[in-house]
Amino acid sequence: MAKHPLLISRSKWATMAATVLLAGCSTFGPAPQKAPIEDAKAPPPAALVCSVGLYGDSILYGGFGANLGNRLPDPPVVAMRRMRPTWQISDHSVVGDSAFQRRPAFVRQPSTARVVVLEYGINDVGNSYDYEPAFRAMARHVKAQRKALVVTGLSRVRGNLAERREQYDATARRIAAEEGAVFADWGSVPFDPKHMVDDVHPSQEYSTRLVQRLVETLEKAAPECRG
């Protein structure tokens, strides 16, 4: 009896499929596994830049003498750079400056530093300037830019300014507390009247002690910059 053509065709197809499957297993082996894709490595963190902007008068500048034309051998900005060589410190201090005089220009310009130091008061005392509103406006300008702010107290003086210096120093301390600044208590730095060039300006010994206190306070304002 003759086989039905359809049955023959199905039989052939089954045989061919089995042959191909067998050949595939013996010749090519299992399908290769793909290598796992490695996660992209995160870029290294940007280097931390501890930048400090100094704004103040001749005491922060280190000036003294006739017309304040002289400068200490190791003025504050130089001493700070030596104590903390990795910091980027910009000195904007001006001989004879005061909060009252500086405020109009200061509140119109942005600060590029991470930490801003404000050191004003002695010339405000000597000229009976209206210190508090000017100094507070400067502090608020810094904080509005989300910068860390350090306010120094007033350094010690001799002579007839000493009593009024206490009043202005108390004002600086209060503004620092109320405006969220860190206060560098220069009034508590050891003071010897002999360590003065004149009644107002520190000698090198006293200036260096003030700078040490300022550096300690800056590290409180920006703990990541310690070192």
Side-chain angles (χ1 to χ4, degrees), residues 188-209:
S188 66
V189 172
F191 170 68
D192 186 336
K194 294 183 297 185
H195 291 165
M196 297 288 286
V197 177
D198 51 38
D199 284 349
V200 172
H201 298 95
S203 68
Q204 187 65 70
E205 293 92 333
Y206 184 33
S207 176
T208 300
R209 290 196 294 270

Side-chain angles (χ1 to χ4, degrees), residues 5 16 24 79 83 89 105 119 130 149 155 169 175 183 200 224:
M16 291 172 63
M83 295 176 188
I89 304 173
E119 180 273 323
D130 197 0
L149 174 61
S155 57
D169 183 67
I175 290 174
F183 187 67
V200 172
E224 66 275 18

